[in-house]
Amino acid sequence: MRVLYIGDIFSTPGLRAAKAFLKRFGEDYDFVIANGENVAGGFGITRKHLHELLEAGVDVVTLGNHTWDAKDAFELLEETPRLIRPLNYPPGAPGLGYTTLEARTGERVTVVQVMGRIFLPALDCPFRALDALLTELPEASTVIVDLHAEATSEKRALGEFLAGRVAAALGTHTHVQTADELIKRGTAYLTDVGMTGVQDSAIGMRFDEVIYRFVTGLPKRYKPAEGPATVCAVALELAGGRAKSVARIQWAEPDGAA
Amino acid sequence: MRVLYIGDIFSTPGLRAAKAFLKRFGEDYDFVIANGENVAGGFGITRKHLHELLEAGVDVVTLGNHTWDAKDAFELLEETPRLIRPLNYPPGAPGLGYTTLEARTGERVTVVQVMGRIFLPALDCPFRALDALLTELPEASTVIVDLHAEATSEKRALGEFLAGRVAAALGTHTHVQTADELIKRGTAYLTDVGMTGVQDSAIGMRFDEVIYRFVTGLPKRYKPAEGPATVCAVALELAGGRAKSVARIQWAEPDGAA
Amino acid sequence: MRVLYIGDIFSTPGLRAAKAFLKRFGEDYDFVIANGENVAGGFGITRKHLHELLEAGVDVVTLGNHTWDAKDAFELLEETPRLIRPLNYPPGAPGLGYTTLEARTGERVTVVQVMGRIFLPALDCPFRALDALLTELPEASTVIVDLHAEATSEKRALGEFLAGRVAAALGTHTHVQTADELIKRGTAYLTDVGMTGVQDSAIGMRFDEVIYRFVTGLPKRYKPAEGPATVCAVALELAGGRAKSVARIQWAEPDGAA
Amino acid sequence: MRVLYIGDIFSTPGLRAAKAFLKRFGEDYDFVIANGENVAGGFGITRKHLHELLEAGVDVVTLGNHTWDAKDAFELLEETPRLIRPLNYPPGAPGLGYTTLEARTGERVTVVQVMGRIFLPALDCPFRALDALLTELPEASTVIVDLHAEATSEKRALGEFLAGRVAAALGTHTHVQTADELIKRGTAYLTDVGMTGVQDSAIGMRFDEVIYRFVTGLPKRYKPAEGPATVCAVALELAGGRAKSVARIQWAEPDGAA
Ligand SMILES: [Fe+2]
Ligand SMILES: [Fe+2]
Ligand SMILES: [Fe+2]
Ligand SMILES: [Fe+2]
Ligand SMILES: [Fe+2]
Ligand SMILES: [Fe+2]
Ligand SMILES: [Fe+2]
Ligand SMILES: [Fe+2]
């Protein structure tokens, strides 16, 4: 089974590039996951965006610390098992922290997201949340975990914690693709898949306002960067619930698309 | 001029690998910079370590948030212009925040380090510290900046702030090499060069203790990981104070070295 | 000279109580300072609020981390020397970090605000900012410092740093009055003056939404608490630029005011 | 029943003052609780210190974020039900998060400690931990909760969460006594009991090193302040598991004790 994981899709350029990529290469994959926490101008995802991503061939959209930024999330998370938020929210949070769906091959794939706690708001322990879930899932299932976290130490620790237990553990949130892909005990790992959007930016936003804020300490509304976008993604080959290969992808949309 | 920048050298395996790399490839470079904040078991650098790095062909060693962990630092920083700490410490801090030395080509190279402030202790503003320094340096000089910071947004913003003004701005501190190298207005940039050390680890430390601490919330002394190490580095081609090319390096030490 | 310092005035109930207090007791004081960073529903201060406070007899309004929340601040800070923001913003920030005005006694009083950096955004060093200012002020002046900070260690350290150099150093920001008033080398000190507003609240906001957010990790818009309010303030007796006495005040507005 | 709660006992002067207070006034109380996380020079508690406190008449010692600083804690927490650590450590942590003992009146008193998560390391949710515990305790029991937390908003929210459910919820950790004592639905509350130790200090440590670190950003080992100490405490009158009165205490040890 071939699985595609598309990193944090950022605003309109990111959505445009993701759709263009899927149009060209979508058929190469049996299952497609995308992180959608930044589609709505950097802040969450709307009903329209989610629809476009599912239409374009995405099977599951994950979120993150921006889950609740766009108000649609509360409804969408209750409506569809194709949108998930971090598993380690307290009990009773709207929506699902994991979901199980069928790939084009007929195999069942479980997608889980957890959020780290270092430099991020306090949630339940992601390690224990994963432990509890993996104990209850059928052993034969193919599990892919989105590690939405800031600190590299926490992501590497979560990756090791999952090694030999899931098919893949892929980091999101920092918006910069890392070059440390590996497979350990059959589990593919990458610290961060990277952002799908305008790379010539401060992780999605225009530089001007971001630098202004750092230098002056004064407020200024961020604006999503415009221009040509790049898809940051990971392609996995899986079999028997474990990874055979992991490949990083950086695909620049064709000239003139922006 | 060809410049090599070696990412955070972590403990004995990192030092061993860095030295092995320099023995084989050191002659390819006209100037060598290495981040040494983690040589002493993760915590700073001793006189002996510094000596070994300089012997092996390193021209300048940069530090970071671990600058003061090993006590030798206070003396070493006063003794030699080949060891620098972040420029944006308050006035009066021991040692230098930048240094100018001669490359094998006879060209003068200025190496600067600044430390970010997001998720790190409060220091002076790195943007203004760089501005002040760049104004006072001779325009023709070749300047390489070590961006020691945690947050990708701050690193990207610092990189943009420096684009067109220095030869290179290279991130350190997160210990995971990123895959976003670029040249903008003649300035090479990479969010993180990555760690030189045992990659199969929690950014240099053994997984066991790190996971234990995350899961239990209890203390446990970290131990540097042992085993085969990889050099994470960047190779730059520079001319006229600007970058012609930037290449990421991940070089695994030969079997049996560990 | 008798000086009144009114702690963070929070939303409508805080403003109402502050005005009622000043109506009754305002004539007892030769100079009145108030922290106004939370007057506008918790977030900054508007032109109308500022006008009301000045009308009520306040001489200087200080702000804090909420300085820029209400848009009027940018204009107001440029227009009047009766509104100040933290001194240790980077050079070029709108408005003043200190101001010198005449008390009813004809004496000149300088009011300064600095903001701490522990658990707060990175600004310039408050210790060095104070040092620079105190060096340049005429020695005979009466100086009162608003320490807007979160951590008790930083506030106590700033207080000690100022002991013997100013008339008073009074903490704001945590919204809970502390009981550690003292005079050291002629400098009155209190870790926090406390909030002027509805004490039966989560530091000004209704409990419901605050507890909801802590328990669920989900967003919910805070709402300012309503009900009877209390003025938290400090009364100082000063002479020759030093403190003779410091008294904490907690004054509940009369029944039926709310 | 009269209960005494002694705030964070800091180093030798704090211990000396606490013992002197108990010698004079201990008989006035039917049950005595003390926070002991800073007895060992600021960092944890040793077997000898714990023994001295119990000898002096303390019934229960609570800890906090410094629980594990002194190595004896691991053993002591397993040995005695008179020493407790925050309840909201992950399952499996050594020792108890609450304890039930008999007061001099024969009544049973349960002492619980929870730790906040704002500006502190990630633990389990203190609200849910308290909820679970209170559900399982016999309704008639007298429960006193130590709220070990930094942020005033979190402490106030926890206090409200417990109002009407326990006898008292008393804050510790910031080392500065607050002046906001109240009784709501029969539950006594105070944001912080304050430190028992040398008040003329940076929350227990000498000013010199603390100011040096803030100003320079350089390391320097903290040293516990010496000199006359003050007991910060709270006296409660309880009946039927609820509070009848709450009184703040600041008792300076007699001249010459230091
Ligand atoms: Fe995120
Ligand atoms: Fe994101
Ligand atoms: Fe490092
Ligand atoms: Fe570092
Ligand atoms: Fe405030
Ligand atoms: Fe504030
Ligand atoms: Fe403490
Ligand atoms: Fe504490």
Side-chain angles (χ1 to χ4, degrees):
Chain A
M1 176 172 40
R2 297 176 70 173
V3 172
L4 180 71
Y5 193 105
I6 301 175
D8 304 45
I9 300 174
F10 201 98
S11 202
T12 314
L15 182 57
R16 182 186 65 224
K19 285 162 63 179
F21 182 90
L22 287 168
K23 198 163 181 184
R24 283 213 195 174
F25 305 107
E27 306 227 327
D28 295 353
Y29 300 96
D30 304 306
F31 198 81
V32 179
I33 307 163
N35 183 295
E37 70 155 356
N38 306 112
V39 183
F43 301 102
I45 191 166
T46 65
R47 181 178 299 274
K48 183 168 164 294
H49 297 135
L50 178 62
H51 200 250
E52 287 186 47
L53 282 172
L54 299 180
E55 278 288 296
V58 174
D59 292 281
V60 177
V61 173
T62 63
L63 292 163
N65 53 312
H66 289 292
T67 295
W68 320 103
D69 289 0
K71 289 200 178 157
D72 294 3
F74 291 82
E75 276 180 32
L76 291 170
L77 278 165
E78 299 290 1
E79 282 172 27
T80 169
R82 294 191 177 276
L83 182 68
I84 64 169
R85 42 79 185 166
L87 175 69
N88 53 327
Y89 268 93
L96 303 170
Y98 71 97
T99 191
T100 302
L101 293 160
E102 204 167 285
R104 255 66 85 204
T105 55
E107 292 162 283
R108 293 176 75 71
V109 179
T110 297
V111 182
V112 194
Q113 181 176 54
V114 290
M115 192 141 81
R117 302 196 290 183
I118 307 301
F119 312 134
L120 284 168
L123 288 187
D124 289 359
C125 173
F127 293 86
R128 277 154 56 203
L130 286 166
D131 239 2
L133 176 66
L134 294 178
T135 306
E136 117 197 348
L137 285 179
E139 271 221 19
S141 66
T142 294
V143 181
I144 297 168
V145 183
D146 177 342
L147 305 173
H148 200 78
E150 176 77 37
T152 48
S153 59
E154 194 179 22
K155 281 166 141 172
R156 300 277 319 188
L158 281 161
E160 177 73 10
F161 188 75
L162 292 169
R165 305 170 76 186
V166 302
L170 304 172
T172 55
H173 177 67
T174 66
H175 291 201
V176 175
Q177 189 176 87
T178 58
D180 62 336
E181 65 275 17
L182 59 89
I183 296 177
K184 188 168 180 180
R185 296 182 215 121
T187 301
Y189 172 84
L190 180 66
T191 293
D192 209 282
V193 177
M195 175 186 66
T196 292
V198 178
Q199 303 298 316
D200 185 16
S201 72
I203 60 168
M205 294 299 184
R206 281 173 27 162
F207 280 120
D208 280 7
E209 292 80 15
V210 174
I211 292 176
Y212 178 88
R213 284 172 62 155
F214 276 127
V215 172
T216 66
L218 299 174
K220 192 130 200 165
R221 182 186 280 255
Y222 295 133
K223 293 186 186 153
E226 310 224 336
T230 298
V231 172
C232 282
V234 160
L236 301 164
E237 288 184 296
L238 308 179
R242 291 294 176 273
K244 296 297 163 201
S245 78
V246 52
R248 285 188 289 112
I249 293 171
Q250 294 190 17
W251 180 80
E253 60 179 352
D255 270 7
Chain B
M1 174 172 41
R2 299 177 68 173
V3 173
L4 179 71
Y5 193 106
I6 301 174
D8 303 46
I9 300 173
F10 201 99
S11 202
T12 313
L15 182 57
R16 182 186 65 222
K19 286 162 65 179
F21 181 90
L22 287 168
K23 197 163 180 183
R24 282 213 198 175
F25 304 107
E27 305 227 327
D28 295 353
Y29 299 97
D30 302 308
F31 198 82
V32 179
I33 306 163
N35 184 296
E37 71 155 356
N38 305 112
V39 184
F43 301 103
I45 190 168
T46 65
R47 182 178 297 274
K48 182 167 165 295
H49 297 135
L50 178 62
H51 200 252
E52 286 186 47
L53 283 172
L54 299 181
E55 279 287 297
V58 174
D59 291 282
V60 178
V61 173
T62 62
L63 293 163
N65 53 313
H66 288 293
T67 295
W68 319 103
D69 289 0
K71 289 202 178 155
D72 293 5
F74 290 82
E75 276 180 32
L76 290 170
L77 278 165
E78 298 289 1
E79 282 171 26
T80 169
R82 294 190 176 277
L83 181 68
I84 64 171
R85 43 77 185 166
L87 176 68
N88 53 330
Y89 268 93
L96 303 169
Y98 72 98
T99 191
T100 302
L101 293 161
E102 206 166 282
R104 254 67 85 204
T105 56
E107 292 162 283
R108 292 175 76 71
V109 179
T110 298
V111 182
V112 194
Q113 181 175 54
V114 289
M115 192 141 82
R117 301 196 290 184
I118 308 302
F119 311 134
L120 283 167
L123 288 187
D124 289 357
C125 173
F127 292 86
R128 278 155 56 204
L130 286 166
D131 239 2
L133 176 66
L134 294 178
T135 306
E136 118 196 347
L137 284 179
E139 272 220 18
S141 66
T142 294
V143 181
I144 297 167
V145 183
D146 176 341
L147 305 174
H148 200 77
E150 177 78 36
T152 48
S153 59
E154 194 179 23
K155 280 166 142 172
R156 300 280 315 191
L158 281 163
E160 178 72 10
F161 188 75
L162 292 169
R165 304 171 77 186
V166 302
L170 304 172
T172 55
H173 177 68
T174 65
H175 291 199
V176 176
Q177 189 175 89
T178 59
D180 62 337
E181 64 276 17
L182 58 89
I183 296 178
K184 189 169 181 179
R185 297 182 213 122
T187 302
Y189 172 83
L190 180 67
T191 292
D192 210 282
V193 177
M195 175 187 67
T196 293
V198 178
Q199 304 298 317
D200 185 15
S201 71
I203 62 168
M205 295 298 184
R206 284 174 23 163
F207 280 120
D208 280 6
E209 292 79 14
V210 174
I211 293 176
Y212 178 88
R213 285 172 62 154
F214 277 125
V215 173
T216 65
L218 300 175
K220 191 130 199 165
R221 180 185 281 254
Y222 295 133
K223 292 187 188 153
E226 310 224 338
T230 299
V231 171
C232 281
V234 160
L236 302 164
E237 287 183 297
L238 308 180
R242 291 297 176 270
K244 297 297 160 200
S245 77
V246 52
R248 286 189 289 110
I249 293 170
Q250 294 190 18
W251 180 80
E253 60 179 350
D255 269 8
Chain C
M1 177 171 39
R2 297 176 69 172
V3 172
L4 179 72
Y5 193 106
I6 301 174
D8 304 47
I9 300 173
F10 200 99
S11 202
T12 312
L15 182 56
R16 182 187 64 223
K19 284 162 64 179
F21 182 90
L22 287 168
K23 198 163 179 183
R24 284 214 197 176
F25 305 108
E27 306 226 327
D28 295 352
Y29 299 96
D30 303 306
F31 198 82
V32 178
I33 307 163
N35 184 296
E37 71 155 356
N38 305 113
V39 183
F43 300 102
I45 190 167
T46 66
R47 181 178 300 273
K48 184 168 164 293
H49 297 134
L50 178 61
H51 200 251
E52 287 187 46
L53 282 172
L54 299 180
E55 279 288 297
V58 174
D59 291 282
V60 178
V61 173
T62 63
L63 293 163
N65 53 312
H66 289 292
T67 295
W68 320 103
D69 289 0
K71 286 199 180 160
D72 293 3
F74 291 82
E75 275 179 32
L76 291 170
L77 279 165
E78 299 289 1
E79 282 170 27
T80 169
R82 294 191 176 276
L83 182 67
I84 64 170
R85 40 80 183 164
L87 175 70
N88 54 327
Y89 268 93
L96 303 170
Y98 72 98
T99 192
T100 302
L101 293 161
E102 206 166 284
R104 253 68 82 203
T105 55
E107 293 162 282
R108 294 176 74 71
V109 179
T110 298
V111 182
V112 195
Q113 182 176 52
V114 291
M115 191 142 81
R117 303 197 290 184
I118 308 303
F119 311 135
L120 284 167
L123 287 187
D124 290 358
C125 173
F127 293 86
R128 278 155 56 204
L130 286 167
D131 238 2
L133 176 65
L134 293 179
T135 306
E136 117 196 349
L137 285 179
E139 272 220 17
S141 64
T142 294
V143 181
I144 296 167
V145 184
D146 177 341
L147 305 173
H148 200 77
E150 177 77 36
T152 47
S153 59
E154 195 179 22
K155 280 167 142 170
R156 300 277 320 189
L158 281 162
E160 177 72 9
F161 187 75
L162 292 169
R165 305 170 76 186
V166 302
L170 304 172
T172 56
H173 177 67
T174 65
H175 291 201
V176 176
Q177 188 175 88
T178 58
D180 62 336
E181 65 276 15
L182 58 91
I183 297 178
K184 189 169 179 180
R185 295 180 213 122
T187 302
Y189 171 84
L190 181 67
T191 292
D192 210 281
V193 177
M195 176 185 66
T196 292
V198 179
Q199 304 299 317
D200 186 15
S201 71
I203 61 170
M205 295 297 185
R206 283 174 23 165
F207 281 121
D208 280 7
E209 293 79 14
V210 173
I211 292 175
Y212 178 87
R213 284 171 63 155
F214 277 126
V215 172
T216 65
L218 299 174
K220 191 128 199 167
R221 180 187 281 254
Y222 295 132
K223 292 187 187 152
E226 311 223 336
T230 298
V231 172
C232 282
V234 160
L236 301 164
E237 287 184 296
L238 308 180
R242 291 296 177 271
K244 296 298 162 199
S245 77
V246 53
R248 287 189 287 111
I249 294 171
Q250 295 190 18
W251 180 80
E253 58 178 352
D255 268 9
Chain D
M1 176 172 39
R2 298 176 70 173
V3 172
L4 178 72
Y5 192 106
I6 301 174
D8 304 48
I9 300 173
F10 200 100
S11 202
T12 312
L15 182 57
R16 183 187 63 223
K19 285 162 65 179
F21 182 89
L22 287 168
K23 198 162 179 182
R24 283 211 199 178
F25 304 107
E27 304 228 327
D28 295 351
Y29 299 97
D30 303 306
F31 198 80
V32 179
I33 307 164
N35 183 295
E37 70 155 356
N38 305 114
V39 184
F43 302 101
I45 191 167
T46 65
R47 181 178 299 273
K48 185 168 163 294
H49 297 134
L50 177 61
H51 200 252
E52 286 185 46
L53 282 172
L54 299 181
E55 280 285 299
V58 174
D59 292 282
V60 178
V61 173
T62 63
L63 292 163
N65 54 312
H66 289 292
T67 295
W68 320 102
D69 289 1
K71 290 201 177 156
D72 293 4
F74 291 82
E75 276 180 31
L76 291 170
L77 278 164
E78 299 290 1
E79 283 171 26
T80 168
R82 295 192 175 274
L83 180 69
I84 64 170
R85 41 80 184 165
L87 176 68
N88 54 327
Y89 269 92
L96 303 170
Y98 71 99
T99 192
T100 302
L101 293 161
E102 204 166 287
R104 253 69 81 205
T105 56
E107 293 162 282
R108 294 176 75 71
V109 180
T110 299
V111 182
V112 193
Q113 182 176 53
V114 290
M115 191 142 81
R117 301 197 291 184
I118 308 302
F119 311 134
L120 284 168
L123 287 187
D124 289 359
C125 174
F127 293 86
R128 279 155 55 205
L130 286 166
D131 240 1
L133 176 65
L134 293 178
T135 306
E136 116 195 351
L137 285 178
E139 273 220 19
S141 66
T142 294
V143 180
I144 296 168
V145 183
D146 176 343
L147 304 174
H148 200 77
E150 176 77 37
T152 47
S153 59
E154 194 178 24
K155 280 166 142 172
R156 300 279 316 189
L158 282 162
E160 177 72 10
F161 188 75
L162 292 170
R165 306 170 77 186
V166 302
L170 303 171
T172 55
H173 178 66
T174 66
H175 291 200
V176 176
Q177 189 176 88
T178 58
D180 63 336
E181 65 276 15
L182 59 89
I183 296 177
K184 189 169 180 180
R185 295 180 215 124
T187 302
Y189 171 84
L190 180 67
T191 293
D192 210 281
V193 177
M195 174 185 68
T196 292
V198 179
Q199 303 298 318
D200 185 16
S201 71
I203 59 169
M205 296 297 185
R206 284 175 23 166
F207 281 120
D208 280 7
E209 293 78 16
V210 173
I211 292 176
Y212 178 88
R213 283 172 64 155
F214 276 125
V215 173
T216 65
L218 300 174
K220 192 126 195 167
R221 180 187 281 254
Y222 295 133
K223 291 186 187 152
E226 311 222 336
T230 298
V231 171
C232 280
V234 160
L236 302 164
E237 287 183 296
L238 308 180
R242 292 296 176 270
K244 296 298 163 200
S245 77
V246 53
R248 288 188 287 111
I249 294 171
Q250 296 190 18
W251 180 80
E253 59 178 351
D255 269 10

